[in-house]
Amino acid sequence: MLSVQPDTKPKGCAGCNRKIKDRYLLKALDKYWHEDCLKCACCDCRLGEVGSTLYTKANLILCRRDYLRFCVGDKFFLKNNMILCQTDYEEGLMKEGYAPQVR
């Protein structure tokens, strides 16, 4: 989630580590960002627009398009006629009575 807050005291940018001296701060994933530093890790598109939606995968910040794309090397599994990502598949193996949720 992206929010804009009035700057009460200078904070460090999670992208460039410099102090943010702008009038407003961008806060995403509990970190503060310059507008130009908040970008998609895959395509470098700017994500600092007010009301933008951010996505994360493997500790990367992504735009919607890159988040939804099946990346080369991602592993998927078929279980009970459902396609599961590796994380959901492994979590299901650890739980007794696996019942995947429809998302």
Side-chain angles (χ1 to χ4, degrees):
M1 175 161 200
L2 177 65
S3 64
V4 178
Q5 302 175 356
D7 186 6
T8 54
K9 67 177 190 171
K11 300 201 182 328
C13 174
C16 69
N17 295 319
R18 293 181 315 197
K19 294 287 181 191
I20 300 172
K21 297 178 183 175
D22 302 338
R23 182 174 177 187
Y24 293 97
L25 299 172
L26 293 179
K27 184 177 181 183
L29 305 176
D30 293 326
K31 297 177 184 175
Y32 295 95
W33 305 80
H34 287 108
E35 185 177 355
D36 291 334
C37 292
L38 189 58
K39 297 179 182 180
C40 175
C42 287
C43 69
D44 255 359
C45 71
R46 291 177 62 193
L47 300 172
E49 308 296 325
V50 175
S52 292
T53 302
L54 306 176
Y55 299 86
T56 60
K57 183 176 185 180
N59 294 322
L60 298 173
I61 295 175
L62 303 170
C63 65
R64 184 177 193 274
R65 186 187 77 218
D66 288 324
Y67 177 77
L68 295 175
R69 183 171 59 161
F70 286 128
C71 296
V72 173
D74 280 353
K75 295 181 181 178
F76 293 88
F77 300 86
L78 183 63
K79 182 162 178 109
N80 298 332
N81 292 324
M82 295 185 70
I83 298 174
L84 303 173
C85 68
Q86 185 170 2
T87 303
D88 288 343
Y89 177 75
E90 290 172 355
E91 285 177 7
L93 290 177
M94 290 187 224
K95 294 179 182 177
E96 186 175 295
Y98 181 71
Q101 297 177 352
V102 177
R103 297 180 192 187

